[in-house]
Every structure is written in C-alpha cells, then in structure tokens.
Amino acid sequence: MRSRPVVTLAIVLGLCSTPSLVAIQPSPDPESIEAKTARLAWFREAKFGLFIHWGLYAIPAGEWKGRRIPGIGEWIMNRAKIPVAEYELLARQWNPVKFDAEAWVSLARDAGMKYVVITSKHHDGFALYDSKVSRFDVVDATPSRRDILKELQAACRKLGLPLGFYYSQSQDWHEPGGAGNEWDFGPDLGPDGKERKDYDKYLREKAEPQVRELLTEYGPVALVWFDTPRMMTPERAQRFADLVRTLSPKTLIDGRLGKAGDYVSTGDNVVPGRVQAEAWEVPATINHTWGYRKDDQDWKSPGDIVFKLVDIVSKGGNYLLNVGPMADGVIPPACQDALRTVGRWLKANGEAVYGTGPSPWGEETGEPSSRGAKDLRGNPLFLPHNEWRVTAKPGKLYFTFFQEPRVPFELPPMKNTVKRAYRLADGEEVKVEVENGRPRLVIPRPIFDPTATVVVVEIDGPVVEPLRVADRVATLLGLFTRKAMTAS
Ligand code: FHN
C-alpha cells in the first residue's frame, strides 16, 4: 500500500519513461476518500435494505424446555445458558423444507429494498454455509445439507440485488476461544481485566478463515456486517479489514468492526435526530426481535415503516430492516404483507427516496428540549417533529407529508424561486401561492395518500440556496416598506 502513492507520483512527474509503465493505472489507496466514495456509490443510492437473521435459534423460537426465554430470539443460547453440547443438537432438527431463496429475494424486491444482508454466522457460531474450517455449519451438521448462502447468492444474482454478509467476528459461543460464552468456558476477562481465553487462536483458526471463505467463494460480497466488537483491538480489527480490502476491494465494511468502516452503523433501531454528512445505516427490527420468536407477532405497520424510511433518508441514511424467518424457511406472512404494502408505496413514490440527498434545511426534524431534559441514555432529549420530511435531487425537492397540513404549507426559506409543484404519485398539479414573499403549497384536502403524500417542488438552480436570517429580515423589511408606501 505504501508504494502506491510513490508510483502515482512517479507517473505524474514523468519519472516512468517506458510506455508500459506509464500506462499502469495504480488502484487508489483503499482508504483514500476517492476509493471510499466509489465503493459507497451504490449504497448511497440504495437507501433501503433487507436484513435477515436466520439460524438454529429459529427452531426454539423463544422457548426452551417449555419455558419462555425473554429477550431477542437469536440470543436464546446465551439467555438460557444452553451448553454447547445441547445447543449443537438443534442442528439435527434443521430441515427448512420451505426455504426458497428466490421467494425471499423477490420479497425484498417487491418491498422496494435494494440490497440484502444475511447472518452468515451469528454469535451462536453456526454458519449458514459450507465452511471448511468448522463442522458446525448448515451442510456438515444438519440433515438438510443445503448451503443457504449459495442458494441466496444465486437468487440475488438472478434478481440483481447486492448481497452482504453479517459476520459475528468476536462473539462465538460455540468456541472456547470466542467471546461471550461464560457458562461453558468461563469469563472472557479476569478480575484484572486481562483476557482469559485464547481469543487470537479463535480469530486465526475460525473467524478470519471464515471471512476469507465468504469473500472468495460467495462473492461478489456487497458488504461485511461485523458486529459487537468485544476485545477487538485496533490490530485485530485491522486483520479483518486487510482481508476485505485485499480479497474484495469493492466490498464495504460496516461500522461495527472495531475500527472505522466505510459507513457508520447506528445503534439498533436508533435514528439520529439530525442530518448526518457521513454515510450511515440504521439496523432495525420489524417487530421486537431479530431472530424469529413465535410469541412476537407485533409487526410495524406499513405506515410506520414508510415514515422511518423517509425520515432516515431525509437525514442522509440507509434503513436496513430485518426479518426473522421461521425454522421451515418461511418469512412470517404478516410481515411479508407489511413489506409488500411498503413496496407499493415505493413504486409510486420511490423517486423521493432512491438516490436522493438529505434535507437542505434540517430544522424540521425536531428540536432539543428547551428544559434541558435528558433521554434514557442521558443525552439531551430530542423532541421530534413528524409532520413532514424533505429529500432533494438537482432542481427538485420532495416534500413528504405524513399528515394533512391544516393551512397552506409554507416552504422553508430559500433564495430559489419555485417553478411548479405536483404530486409525485399521479402528477396532479399543486397550487403554489406567495404570501409575505414566501411560497406556500395549497395541498388539496383530503390529503391524497394518508400514509404519506409526496409533493415535488421544482426550483430554479440545482441546489437550494438557504436564506440566512439577515436575508429574511431584509425581505420582511422590504415588504413592510412597500406596504407602508402603498398605504400612504
Ligand atoms: O447482538 C446482536 C443482535 O443479536 C443483533 O444481531 C443486532 C443487529 O444489529 N446486533 C447485536 C446487538 O447490537
């Protein structure tokens, strides 16, 4: 890596005299802004992805030996302290006869999702593909012997959706050296804070080779979604980053490796209050668990999902929405229905989402509590305003209304003039009137689509030129003077 800038410099300075050397176009440093921007192009365009948590935990589905085990479904081994020897036996019951990779990817496509990310190995250590470095996988340990990732990779390729792999690099409750299994293998750290397990042996012998397998045999890999970086020193994280960068330079690294990745992963279900400049993604549940639990059928409504999607996109982020398929391979039908309804909304309104930039303003998303109140995490309490959001493309603003504005909707301050406005779903013209120098949209009632109605506002110039406070005062003063003069 170090030599690349030297080669580039040599070419620029004309130090390479032979034509063949001059023709060499060295690939840019993978950590350069240019390389990162190029890698991220599809991700920034995509906005909406399908997350899939699937593994042996879908069999107990939240219940162990007749007992309901609280918490997220994929953590049942940890929460019920199930010994490895017992948990392994679940593999003998793994026979997802209804699994149809194309049906899953078609669902993602119907929902308007543009990429898929699946758990290749979660914290329980079970791999959903035929690994050569562990027998605790879907081919070697189960009667089914179907390689789930191979089938999904073929379906994604056929239907044209990028596929990424979640990989739990630190926690592996199946391995004595992996982090997290304190019920079989004792604590990860001693009272002195020092590591008590042969964590590097686990990394070298399972985690790193498995990531290598995924990148070399299941590509092209759109992204690797690392998670819970316990005991991930910068050096250890770098080893994973090097694997990704050398074996598959276009593959993205999420924000939970243990060092900065290509984009920021927020906390689970955490949507920032404000526009963020960096690329970012919210991993989110569609009910209250990631892996399937039979007692959790509390699906988010299509309206809620549309709101979250537009809210996130208007702040510059991506929405990675999770489903937990059942043990037989079927994604719960009620959750499929919700996703398809979202897809119908996106079919009519997707222009306001895909490939858009964030809100040019941002104040509309909410405000911090003026009383200094704190949220559950102790951060200043943010009071969201959820009436509308705006996204942008050159020369166009997409205002999405989640409720009917009670009075004509005054556009946020900008220097640009409004050329026209129309409803995105059916092209119907929306009247624009100017009051006190500010254009307002007269949105016909009842509102067209109570879930979310998008009005496109065409402006002169490619981008919004914000009107600063001084400009606003000048406009108002101008109006005041004109009024006073006509009155006298
Ligand atoms: O522990 C995991 C959890 O099971 C799930 O995979 C989520 C998804 O973001 N990540 C961890 C918790 O943040």
Side-chain angles (χ1 to χ4, degrees), residues 459-475:
I459 53 170
D460 67 336
V463 294
V464 163
E465 287 187 59
L467 207 55
R468 287 180 305 274
V469 177
D471 301 323
R472 282 151 84 176
V473 171
T475 314

Side-chain angles (χ1 to χ4, degrees), residues 116-326:
V116 177
V117 182
I118 186 167
T119 47
S120 60
K121 184 206 80 168
H122 203 266
H123 309 329
D124 64 357
F126 180 71
L128 274 192
Y129 72 99
D130 188 11
S131 174
K132 301 292 177 289
V133 296
S134 162
R135 292 191 58 74
F136 193 44
D137 72 48
V138 79
V139 172
D140 297 318
T142 78
S144 148
R145 300 191 60 81
R146 286 169 73 181
D147 185 328
I148 301 302
L149 298 194
K150 268 271 171 294
E151 292 186 35
L152 205 58
Q153 179 206 36
C156 280
R157 184 171 297 164
K158 184 167 167 193
L159 299 179
L161 261 73
L163 175 64
F165 297 126
Y166 171 106
Y167 190 86
S168 173
Q169 78 278 27
S170 292
Q171 294 198 70
D172 191 316
W173 305 330
H174 186 260
E175 308 303 327
N181 184 342
E182 309 206 333
W183 56 100
D184 281 305
F185 308 122
D188 296 344
L189 305 175
D192 53 0
K194 292 216 174 96
E195 291 175 14
R196 290 176 52 150
K197 293 176 176 168
D198 200 346
Y199 185 57
D200 274 304
K201 179 175 157 65
Y202 150 72
L203 292 178
R204 298 265 189 216
E205 292 180 6
K206 183 170 180 184
E208 291 169 32
Q210 286 199 329
V211 170
R212 175 182 290 274
E213 286 176 335
L214 292 167
L215 293 166
T216 52
E217 289 163 46
Y218 293 81
V221 178
L223 58 89
V224 185
W225 217 97
F226 295 105
D227 201 7
T228 63
R230 297 190 190 173
M231 304 199 288
M232 267 290 118
T233 57
E235 296 71 34
R236 286 163 172 165
Q238 190 59 48
R239 298 211 297 262
F240 285 103
D242 288 346
L243 273 175
V244 178
R245 297 293 185 238
T246 52
L247 296 173
S248 185
K250 289 190 178 155
T251 299
L252 298 178
I253 297 175
D254 76 329
R256 296 190 185 182
L257 170 58
K259 73 184 281 293
D262 288 302
Y263 61 86
V264 173
S265 306
T266 69
D268 296 348
N269 291 305
V270 175
V271 180
R274 296 280 190 219
V275 174
Q276 313 287 319
E278 256 194 285
W280 56 277
E281 178 186 61
V282 180
T285 51
I286 193 166
N287 46 352
H288 307 280
T289 178
W290 305 88
Y292 179 67
R293 288 188 65 106
K294 55 189 158 207
D295 61 357
D296 185 352
Q297 304 289 324
D298 187 24
W299 315 110
K300 290 193 174 62
S301 70
D304 195 3
I305 296 170
V306 167
F307 172 76
K308 287 194 163 64
L309 173 63
V310 178
D311 178 41
I312 289 166
V313 172
S314 82
K315 295 168 184 166
N318 279 23
Y319 188 27
L320 182 64
L321 182 58
N322 181 75
V323 298
M326 298 183 286

Side-chain angles (χ1 to χ4, degrees), residues 58-81:
I59 299 170
E63 199 178 296
W64 192 249
K65 297 186 175 166
R67 214 161 46 94
R68 193 179 156 271
I69 308 297
I72 40 185
E74 71 284 4
W75 271 69
I76 193 165
M77 180 181 181
N78 181 299
R79 296 268 195 264
K81 307 282 169 251

